[in-house]
Amino acid sequence: KITNKQQGMMISEDHKPTSEREAKRVEASGGYIERNANKAWRTNGIISVTRSIGDFGLKKGKKGACLISDPEFTHHTLTQGDDYLVIASDGLWDGLSVDDVAWTATQKAGPG
């Protein structure tokens, strides 16, 4: 995610059960996507992401293994005015919008 003049720009895709591409991948690997009692989408009814570094119980060798830790690479050429690169997990992005993070970075750290 890049901030440019206090505006955020997505340069990656969140790996969530609501992503059609990720849902198809999960289902093709024997997993499933469903809404829990709180109406939140979950992978195998448990976790809010479709890729994870941990969560070994949902990975290869386990019944219903559908979670992967394979990274997705994005290439972005930095240009003048790209002030900050923010790398964060779903814990941040689930609570704040890209523009909220961009605004906070420029207010707290100052101009790039």
Side-chain angles (χ1 to χ4, degrees), residues 35-96:
R35 281 185 136 164
N36 66 10
N38 296 325
K39 302 212 185 268
W41 291 102
R42 296 286 186 252
T43 303
N44 278 12
I46 301 170
I47 190 167
S48 66
V49 294
T50 56
R51 298 183 190 212
S52 172
I53 294 172
D55 303 295
F56 300 108
L58 295 172
K59 291 191 175 171
K60 293 177 185 172
K62 306 288 183 178
K63 183 180 178 184
C66 61
L67 209 61
I68 61 173
S69 55
D70 300 351
E72 184 174 348
F73 294 97
T74 302
H75 297 274
H76 176 80
T77 302
L78 294 176
T79 60
Q80 189 172 4
D82 287 339
D83 296 328
Y84 300 97
L85 172 63
V86 178
I87 301 172
S89 71
D90 59 311
L92 176 72
W93 302 120
D94 284 351
L96 296 173

Side-chain angles (χ1 to χ4, degrees), residues 7-47:
Q7 293 182 335
M9 183 177 96
M10 297 284 294
I11 60 170
S12 66
E13 178 184 333
D14 290 337
H15 299 111
K16 299 284 192 178
T18 52
S19 162
E20 185 177 340
R21 183 173 59 100
E22 285 294 297
K24 285 180 181 179
R25 187 194 55 73
V26 165
E27 291 166 358
S29 67
Y32 61 94
I33 305 295
E34 72 175 7
R35 281 185 136 164
N36 66 10
N38 296 325
K39 302 212 185 268
W41 291 102
R42 296 286 186 252
T43 303
N44 278 12
I46 301 170
I47 190 167

